[in-house]
Amino acid sequence: MDDDITPDVEALRTALAAHGITLPSLGVDPVTFAGSYIRPPLVALGDCNVATARQLTDVLRRAAGG
C-alpha cells in the first residue's frame, strides 16, 4: 500500500484554495505517518478561525445542493 498521502493533502489544499479557503495547519499527521498501526496516515486538517469554518461550511452546503 502506498502510504504517501502528500499528493492527497496538496490536492485538498488546491481544492480549498479554489474557494478562497486556507487551512494553515493542513498537512500529514506526523504521529500516524510515523506509526505502523494506522494505515494510511491521517490528514491533519488543523485549526482554523471561525470565519474560515463558516466559509468552509458554506462551500460544502452549496456543493451538496443546499
Side-chain angles (χ1 to χ4, degrees):
M1 171 186 281
D2 182 11
D3 290 338
D4 183 9
I5 63 169
T6 303
D8 300 291
V9 171
E10 291 307 314
L12 178 56
R13 186 183 319 278
T14 300
L16 290 168
H19 294 280
I21 299 171
T22 301
L23 297 177
S25 301
L26 179 64
V28 178
D29 176 65
V31 174
T32 58
F33 182 72
S36 60
Y37 54 90
I38 296 177
R39 294 289 181 236
L42 299 175
V43 175
L45 296 175
D47 298 327
C48 68
N49 61 33
V50 70
T52 301
R54 288 176 181 158
Q55 188 178 15
L56 184 55
T57 300
D58 183 52
V59 167
L60 291 171
R61 282 184 179 149
R62 283 187 279 131

